Amino acid sequence: MSKPRIGVTCSPLRGPAYYLPYLRAIEATGGEPVTLDPQPGGLASTQATSMIAGIDGLLVPGGWDVDPPAYGEDRQEETPDVDPPLDLTEIALVRAAVDANVPVFGICRGQQVINVALGGSLRQHIDGHDNHGHPRDLLAHAIDVVPGSELSKVTPGDRVMVNSLHHQSVKDVAPGLHVTAHSPDGVVEGIESADGMIVAVQCHPEELLSQQGWAMALFRGFVGRVADHNHNGAVATDAGKEGS
Ligand code: MN
């Protein structure tokens, strides 16, 4: 039986090594990762629709900042590293996935891309959340998780510790999405759609798989939703069982 095919947008500017933890997390939870290349001018909606038709789920991973013109703002000095072809490609893919009812999972930049793609905006700089220079699995701050969210279904209780490798965050939440987690200083750390087909977090669960059971469960939940909703005939079998 075929495994659910999970598209992962991978920018050549970051290089393949950056994306390995995401690809491994998908494999570890029963999915088949499929890397998707950004296109220089972005994607026309018909191109995005046809790329989405070839996958069963979309993972939008971490990376550089979204170029602020994508949400109607000028780029400030505090937003130095952008990758507009990746932005345009991911924004088109997120919209096409939503239109096709294909599950979407966003991590860090991915959460920010999803919010922008659906009409939200970002804060271009926040203090206290960028722990680059420390191990990527450093548990840096708590988040308070909204009961009933997909995120809350995998966390042990409503407060968990997370890693934090970002200096931007969601500002205005896009229509159709709601906040599912905050840090104590008020930063948006999770967003979802009401039907749970879009789930995103600001932390990096792909770096926490071996130390936090909820991080693995978050991936397993996503791959499970993909298998449940897939439009290409893949079937959920033993997705994510330890030792498989
Ligand atoms: Mn954070």
Side-chain angles (χ1 to χ4, degrees), residues 203-228:
C203 67
H204 282 270
E206 81 285 0
E207 303 283 359
L208 301 175
L209 300 180
S210 60
Q211 61 153 290
Q212 300 292 322
W214 62 262
M216 184 75 87
L218 194 56
F219 274 93
R220 191 177 292 132
F222 169 58
V223 174
R225 281 191 297 282
V226 171
D228 288 344

Side-chain angles (χ1 to χ4, degrees), residues 129 141 163-164 166 189 202:
H129 284 256
H141 64 74
N163 50 355
S164 189
H166 62 111
E189 292 276 343
Q202 185 58 62

Side-chain angles (χ1 to χ4, degrees), residues 85-99:
L86 180 63
D87 295 343
L88 295 171
T89 299
E90 289 182 331
I91 286 169
L93 287 172
V94 167
R95 290 173 179 165
V98 170
D99 286 346

Side-chain angles (χ1 to χ4, degrees), residues 73 115 119-123 170-174:
E73 292 187 11
N115 189 54
S121 65
L122 305 178
R123 296 163 74 182
V170 167
K171 185 165 67 179
D172 297 319
V173 179

Side-chain angles (χ1 to χ4, degrees), residues 17-162:
Y18 175 76
Y19 297 101
L20 285 177
Y22 300 94
L23 306 183
R24 287 179 180 145
I26 291 169
E27 288 171 344
T29 50
E32 178 190 347
V34 178
T35 60
L36 304 174
D37 297 326
Q39 301 302 308
L43 294 172
S45 64
T46 51
Q47 291 175 295
T49 299
S50 97
M51 283 177 84
I52 291 297
I55 57 176
D56 304 307
L58 177 66
L59 169 63
V60 189
W64 290 342
D65 296 332
V66 177
D67 203 14
Y71 49 92
E73 292 187 11
D74 292 332
R75 183 155 67 92
Q76 309 293 327
E77 283 179 29
E78 53 212 2
T79 307
D81 296 320
V82 296
D83 186 347
L86 180 63
D87 295 343
L88 295 171
T89 299
E90 289 182 331
I91 286 169
L93 287 172
V94 167
R95 290 173 179 165
V98 170
D99 286 346
N101 207 32
V102 163
V104 180
F105 183 26
I107 292 175
C108 193
R109 165 191 161 86
Q111 163 164 294
Q112 298 169 9
V113 167
I114 290 165
N115 189 54
V116 169
L118 301 179
S121 65
L122 305 178
R123 296 163 74 182
Q124 290 197 41
H125 185 76
I126 57 169
D127 290 321
H129 284 256
D130 186 353
N131 292 281
H132 286 96
H134 296 277
R136 291 178 65 83
D137 63 354
L138 173 75
L139 296 177
H141 64 74
I143 59 172
D144 291 307
V145 180
V146 174
S149 60
E150 292 297 320
L151 180 57
S152 77
K153 292 176 184 172
V154 300
T155 54
D158 296 339
R159 172 168 276 215
V160 290
M161 292 294 293
V162 297

